[in-house]
């Protein structure tokens, strides 16, 4: 179903994610924002009464910030940004979910390259972070990688290979709770 003019603009609305709390997060450059692409949110429990809000700082910056996913069990959010303080082009960042909003974003330097890392997805049952990158030797374009969370941070990413990856851009990898 088209969600209408409250969400959709003449700009780009992209990277949707629905959290357990029935909040739709998405990126847009068509709504008023802080930078290029910003992250916005709206409750979707009543589609007749949609109110879109910019999630603001510290998630949004003067640059592109997008692809926010929320992991309710770990109380963390993961997103991509080309904000200042990154390692390369677009990097994966995480934030903690606090009582009064989001904590300051942290660059996951152990997985980011000088190129682009995008579309993060955290699978809490396996403590695995999936993302796409064009900064590692891959099969073509962006490939999907996985990395595991340990006590010391994230391990070195590994390419998911075929049939997950092919010669084009492979992005938006997600799993359900069962894997």
């Amino acid at each position: 179903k088209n969600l209408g003019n409250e969400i959709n603009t003449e700009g780009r609305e992209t990277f949707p994610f629905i959290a357990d709390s029935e909040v739709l997060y998405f990126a847009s450059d068509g709504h008023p924002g802080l930078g290029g692409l910003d992250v916005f949110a709206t409750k979707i429990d009543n589609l007749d009464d949609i109110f879109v809000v910019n999630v603001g700082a510290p998630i949004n910056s003067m640059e592109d910030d997008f692809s926010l996913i929320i992991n309710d069990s770990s109380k963390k959010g993961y997103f991509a940004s080309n904000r200042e303080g990154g390692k390369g082009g677009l990097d994966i960042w995480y934030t903690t979910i606090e009582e009064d909003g989001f904590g300051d974003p942290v660059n996951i330097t152990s997985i980011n390259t000088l190129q682009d890392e995008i579309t993060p997805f955290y699978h809490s049952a396996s403590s695995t972070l999936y993302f796409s990158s064009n900064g590692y030797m891959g099969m073509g374009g962006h490939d999907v990688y996985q990395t595991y969370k340990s006590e010391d941070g994230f391990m070195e990413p590994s390419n998911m290979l075929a049939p997950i990856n092919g010669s084009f851009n492979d992005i938006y990898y997600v799993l359900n709770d069962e894997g």
Side-chain angles (χ1 to χ4, degrees):
K1 176 181 176 180
N2 185 316
L3 296 178
N5 293 337
E6 294 298 318
I7 292 179
N8 297 309
T9 69
E10 291 186 19
R12 292 180 296 165
E13 282 71 45
T14 186
F15 304 104
F17 176 78
I18 299 174
D20 291 343
S21 58
E22 293 191 21
V23 173
L24 168 66
Y25 293 94
F26 64 97
S28 175
D29 62 3
H31 291 277
L34 303 178
L37 284 170
D38 274 4
V39 176
F40 293 84
T42 186
K43 292 284 279 180
I44 58 169
D45 55 349
N46 180 359
L47 294 178
D48 293 326
D49 187 27
I50 293 177
F51 183 73
V52 174
V53 296
N54 184 310
V55 300
I59 298 297
N60 291 323
S61 68
M62 298 298 291
E63 304 299 333
D64 290 322
D65 307 287
F66 59 93
S67 199
L68 175 67
I69 60 110
I70 302 293
N71 184 276
D72 289 315
S73 63
S74 69
K75 300 290 188 214
K76 295 236 184 326
Y78 297 87
F79 65 100
S81 178
N82 60 350
R83 67 181 53 218
E84 188 176 316
K87 186 174 182 179
L90 293 163
D91 286 353
I92 304 294
W93 298 73
Y94 78 87
T95 181
T96 54
I97 301 167
E98 301 171 355
E99 288 288 322
D100 59 347
F102 296 104
D104 288 334
V106 176
N107 185 291
I108 309 176
T109 57
S110 63
I111 66 169
N112 290 317
T113 68
L114 297 177
Q115 300 300 312
D116 295 332
E117 283 69 45
I118 58 173
T119 63
F121 175 76
Y122 187 76
H123 187 252
S124 58
S126 62
S127 299
T128 305
L129 178 66
Y130 298 92
F131 64 96
S132 294
S133 174
N134 63 359
Y136 294 95
M137 181 60 76
M139 300 177 71
H142 282 85
D143 280 4
V144 177
Y145 292 83
Q146 63 184 356
T147 179
Y148 299 96
K149 182 114 170 71
S150 71
E151 291 178 11
D152 299 325
F154 286 99
M155 313 274 288
E156 183 175 340
S158 60
N159 189 306
M160 303 251 325
L161 302 174
I164 301 300
N165 291 315
S167 60
F168 296 103
N169 287 321
D170 300 298
I171 55 178
Y172 301 110
Y173 187 80
V174 297
L175 294 171
N176 63 21
D177 290 340
E178 289 78 39

